[in-house]
């Protein structure tokens, strides 16, 4: 909520606000005057309007977590509030859609200028707004708010989180709203999509293959330098905003209990059983069950290659008829010359006007399964071709009507969005910049574009700052607590393991010794391990793979 228009026709915009509302800028007929005495004398309703503003400012929304339960207790003005997600065009009731700052979160096109200020070129709903890159990158605009967190130190872990619209005693501004020079931003921007590549640089466009660039931490950061100063990969400052907003809105640390994300795909490659030429289908063995309608797949001679030809499965026909199959009208199934009974074919009700010419490509055999692709697909395969599931391209949630929700189904097999941010977990691993690990010690640099990209421990130690905690040395565990450094409150990684799929943070943790990058969220095969708080500190910064991506960000 950036402005309030009183009944008397004044537009009041907070210029400098605090707990006592010391200063206001008042626009009257195009002129500005902050002399409150003069305003009171001329307009008797100003006191009423200011009282309403104070009431608005006093709103506090909170959640508390205690012990092992991932379910939180709503606090302050969040009590009794209801939050829900929608599937596709489903309309749901979500009280937070009318509560600042959630109510003012929206998508836009734009870019950062030389002063590190964001320039909006179009908002979603305006004619100029585009998601396909023709009007630039797509971002999610988040208005300024303040936060507080209270972390218990007893044997039973406790934590409270709060959001309020304006500066209040005991609250701080999230670091995403603070520039490197210490000045503040009224709004923050997070890339709407996982990053594909266009003209050699990371982009936030719809319809882009996010796995094909084969991003590593080092290659992503270096590519960002070709966009301009300040651009980088997804940061802990981005994560902090999403974390506060999500946990308070849905009152849970178990993010998958709200939306699963793309986490339940099986990526084991299968050999093509019979060659096709310029077809909109491929042929596999009859017992293959992986490829069902809606799944993203790639075709390539190497299993799980990022360079594969991307398609969406439209359906799977049980069997495919060999060319010498003959339909027996008396038995309502196909037979084949030389086959001994009971070698028969599944019954099929056919169109008598066309079956004689179409049966050879449409009907069934007990040998093969026909995996149908998009209607306009045209693929040529050989028996050396492999088919395998892969991450979704960006943009599948563009038509989801609710503020948060899933495309097609919330069953772990389809993309999700949180407040316009697509796949905040699942689909691909998300590379994080501004943070690196050396021998279980996290190091940070707020100027994230300038983190070392040579994977050198010496470079990390000489250019970055160690956090006031270390991360666990034991890998493959569920997170119990997140570390906290008062000087760097946004940088919260797993600091203790011992949780499970139903306790504490409900998300997994991987680690290895040496120099490691940090990735979050989990990829398309991680199942219950995945979630917003899943941190993977197991790969060197130079490592890349087909299920690794990131999200464009900025720290100027």
């Amino acid at each position: 909520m950036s402005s309030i228009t009183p009944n008397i026709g004044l537009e009041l915009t907070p210029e400098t606000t605090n707990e006592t509302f010391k200063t206001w800028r008042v626009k009257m007929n195009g002129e500005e005057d902050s002399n409150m005495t003069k305003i009171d004398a001329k307009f008797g309703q100003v006191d009423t309007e200011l009282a309403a503003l104070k009431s608005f400012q006093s709103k506090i929304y909170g959640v508390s977590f205690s012990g092992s339960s991932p379910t939180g207790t709503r606090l302050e003005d969040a009590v009794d509030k209801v939050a829900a997600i929608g599937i596709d065009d489903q309309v749901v009731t979500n009280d937070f859609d009318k509560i600042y700052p959630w109510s003012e979160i929206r998508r836009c096109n734009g870019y950062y200028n030389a002063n590190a200020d964001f320039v909006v070129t179009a908002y979603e709903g305006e004619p100029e707004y585009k998601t396909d890159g023709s009007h630039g990158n797509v971002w999610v605009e988040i208005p300024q708010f303040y936060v507080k967190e209270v972390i218990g130190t007893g044997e039973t872990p406790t934590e409270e989180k709060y959001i309020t619209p304006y500066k209040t005693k005991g609250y701080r501004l999230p670091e995403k709203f603070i520039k490197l020079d210490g000045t503040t931003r009224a709004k923050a921007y997070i890339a709407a999509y996982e990053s594909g590549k266009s003209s050699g640089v990371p982009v936030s466009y719809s319809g882009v293959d996010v796995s094909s660039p084969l991003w590593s931490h080092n290659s992503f950061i270096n590519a960002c330098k070709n966009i301009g100063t300040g651009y980088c990969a997804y940061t802990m400052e981005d994560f902090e905003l999403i974390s506060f907003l999500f946990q308070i809105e849905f009152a849970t640390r178990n993010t998958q209990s709200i939306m699963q994300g793309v986490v339940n795909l099986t990526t084991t490659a299968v050999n093509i059983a019979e060659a096709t030429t310029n077809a909109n289908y491929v042929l596999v063995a009859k017992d293959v069950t992986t490829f069902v309608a809606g799944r993203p797949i790639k075709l390539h001679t190497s299993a799980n290659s990022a360079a594969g030809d991307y398609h969406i499965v439209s359906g799977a026909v049980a069997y495919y008829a060999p060319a010498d199959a003959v339909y027996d009208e008396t038995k309502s199934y196909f037979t084949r010359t030389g086959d001994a009974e009971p070698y028969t074919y599944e019954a099929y009700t056919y169109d008598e006007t066309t079956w004689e010419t179409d049966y050879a490509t449409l009907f069934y055999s007990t040998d093969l399964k026909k995996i149908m692709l998009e209607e306009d697909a045209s693929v040529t395969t050989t028996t050396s071709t492999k088919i395998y599931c892969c991450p979704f391209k960006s943009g599948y949630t563009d038509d989801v009507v609710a503020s948060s929700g899933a495309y097609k189904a919330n069953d772990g097999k389809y993309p999700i969005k949180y407040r316009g941010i697509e796949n905040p977990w699942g689909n691909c691993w998300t590379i994080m910049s501004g943070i690196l690990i050396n021998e279980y010690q996290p190091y940070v640099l707020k100027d994230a574009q300038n983190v070392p990209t040579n994977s050198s421990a010496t470079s990390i130690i000489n250019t970055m700052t160690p956090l006031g905690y270390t991360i666990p040395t034991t890998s493959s565990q569920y997170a119990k607590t997140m570390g906290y450094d008062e000087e760097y409150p946004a940088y919260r990684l797993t600091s203790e393991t011992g949780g499970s799929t139903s306790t504490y943070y409900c998300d997994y943790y991987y680690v290895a010794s040496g120099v490691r990058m940090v990735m979050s969220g989990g990829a398309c095969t991680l199942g219950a391990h995945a979630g917003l708080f899943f941190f993977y500190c197991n790969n060197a910064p130079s490592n890349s793979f087909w299920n690794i991506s990131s999200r464009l960000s900025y720290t100027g």
Side-chain angles (χ1 to χ4, degrees), residues 363-403:
F363 295 163
Y364 309 138
S365 86
T366 52
D367 297 329
L368 306 173
K369 179 175 286 187
K370 189 175 186 179
I371 307 301
M372 305 298 298
L373 307 178
E374 320 87 280
E375 186 175 346
D376 60 351
S378 179
V379 300
T380 297
T381 63
T382 70
T383 53
S384 296
T385 305
K386 301 181 187 303
I387 178 174
Y388 46 94
C389 286
C390 66
F392 279 85
K393 286 185 176 182
S394 58
Y396 279 87
T397 64
D398 285 352
D399 294 327
V400 172
V401 171
S403 52

Side-chain angles (χ1 to χ4, degrees), residues 139-470:
W139 302 82
V140 174
E141 180 183 88
I142 301 176
Q144 188 183 97
F145 59 87
Y146 287 79
V147 300
K148 181 174 74 171
E149 49 200 334
V150 181
I151 302 172
T153 57
E155 292 185 6
T156 301
T158 61
E159 189 167 4
E160 298 175 5
K161 291 179 176 288
Y162 300 91
I163 284 177
T164 193
Y166 296 124
K167 186 175 181 181
T168 305
K169 186 176 181 179
Y171 285 71
R172 64 177 176 85
L173 195 63
E175 295 186 43
K176 187 70 176 178
F177 295 111
I178 305 172
K179 295 182 181 180
L180 293 178
D181 64 7
T183 59
T184 62
R185 296 185 173 97
K187 298 173 182 177
Y189 297 85
I190 296 178
Y193 304 111
E194 297 166 285
S195 288
K197 181 189 288 187
S198 179
S199 300
V201 300
V203 295
S204 178
Y205 301 162
S206 180
V208 174
D209 188 343
V210 299
S211 68
S212 62
L214 282 175
W215 292 121
S216 69
H217 170 275
N218 294 348
S219 67
F220 198 100
I221 295 299
N222 287 329
C224 283
K225 294 176 182 178
N226 294 323
I227 306 175
T229 301
Y231 287 94
C232 58
Y234 183 69
T235 66
M236 293 299 291
E237 286 91 345
D238 297 323
F239 170 83
E240 179 185 39
L241 290 189
I242 299 172
S243 173
F244 265 95
L245 290 165
F246 185 94
Q247 288 181 86
I248 292 174
E249 180 176 357
F250 290 103
T252 184
R253 294 182 292 196
N254 185 358
T255 55
Q256 279 197 312
S257 69
I258 307 300
M259 294 183 287
Q260 289 194 52
V262 185
V263 296
N264 289 337
L265 299 186
T266 301
T267 58
T268 302
V270 172
N271 289 324
I272 295 298
E274 186 174 303
T276 57
T277 301
N278 297 328
N280 68 337
Y281 60 87
V282 295
L283 301 172
V284 297
K286 67 175 182 179
D287 56 351
V288 172
T289 60
T290 305
F291 311 107
V292 298
R295 298 284 176 88
I297 60 98
K298 285 191 174 183
L299 301 168
H300 199 272
T301 54
S302 298
N304 298 330
S305 170
D309 188 17
Y310 179 94
H311 296 279
I312 292 290
V313 174
S314 63
V317 178
Y319 303 107
Y320 169 78
D324 57 350
V326 177
Y327 187 76
D328 187 326
E329 293 188 72
T330 63
K331 298 179 179 180
S332 295
Y333 55 66
F334 285 91
T335 60
R336 187 165 60 183
T337 302
D339 289 340
E341 295 286 355
Y343 197 121
T344 58
Y345 294 80
E346 187 172 327
Y348 186 83
T349 302
Y350 63 93
D351 181 344
E352 293 185 355
T353 62
T354 61
W355 78 271
E356 290 183 338
T357 56
D358 290 349
Y359 80 86
T361 56
L362 293 178
F363 295 163
Y364 309 138
S365 86
T366 52
D367 297 329
L368 306 173
K369 179 175 286 187
K370 189 175 186 179
I371 307 301
M372 305 298 298
L373 307 178
E374 320 87 280
E375 186 175 346
D376 60 351
S378 179
V379 300
T380 297
T381 63
T382 70
T383 53
S384 296
T385 305
K386 301 181 187 303
I387 178 174
Y388 46 94
C389 286
C390 66
F392 279 85
K393 286 185 176 182
S394 58
Y396 279 87
T397 64
D398 285 352
D399 294 327
V400 172
V401 171
S403 52
S404 299
Y407 162 73
K408 208 172 183 70
N410 186 21
D411 62 359
K413 299 171 183 175
Y414 299 101
I416 60 173
K417 72 170 182 179
Y418 175 64
R419 296 276 164 190
I421 302 168
E422 188 171 79
N423 296 327
W425 60 87
N427 204 46
C428 284
W429 285 108
T430 301
I431 297 166
M432 307 193 85
S433 59
I435 185 165
L436 289 169
I437 310 294
N438 180 49
E439 297 299 343
Y440 310 107
Q441 172 64 62
Y443 286 80
V444 301
L445 182 66
K446 289 188 176 182
D447 185 5
Q449 190 184 77
N450 290 315
V451 296
T453 56
N454 58 8
S455 303
S456 161
T458 300
S459 296
I460 292 171
I461 293 169
N462 289 342
T463 61
M464 304 180 74
T465 301
L467 289 178
Y469 65 89
T470 57

Side-chain angles (χ1 to χ4, degrees), residues 91-135:
V91 177
V92 298
T93 298
N94 187 327
D95 292 336
F96 289 85
D97 289 346
K98 297 180 180 180
I99 296 173
Y100 182 98
W102 295 271
S103 61
E104 303 304 305
I105 297 173
R106 53 182 174 171
R107 279 185 173 187
C108 64
N109 296 130
Y111 63 94
Y112 285 90
N113 64 19
N115 296 323
D117 293 320
F118 192 86
V119 179
V120 174
T121 57
Y123 283 107
E124 185 174 19
E126 296 178 344
E128 297 84 1
Y129 172 80
K130 305 294 180 185
T131 63
D132 60 4
S134 60
H135 200 65

Side-chain angles (χ1 to χ4, degrees), residues 28 31-43 46:
M28 298 180 296
E31 298 179 357
E32 294 188 4
D33 191 345
S34 60
N35 186 324
M36 297 306 295
T37 302
K38 180 179 178 180
I39 295 169
D40 280 335
K42 190 171 183 179
F43 302 102
V46 167

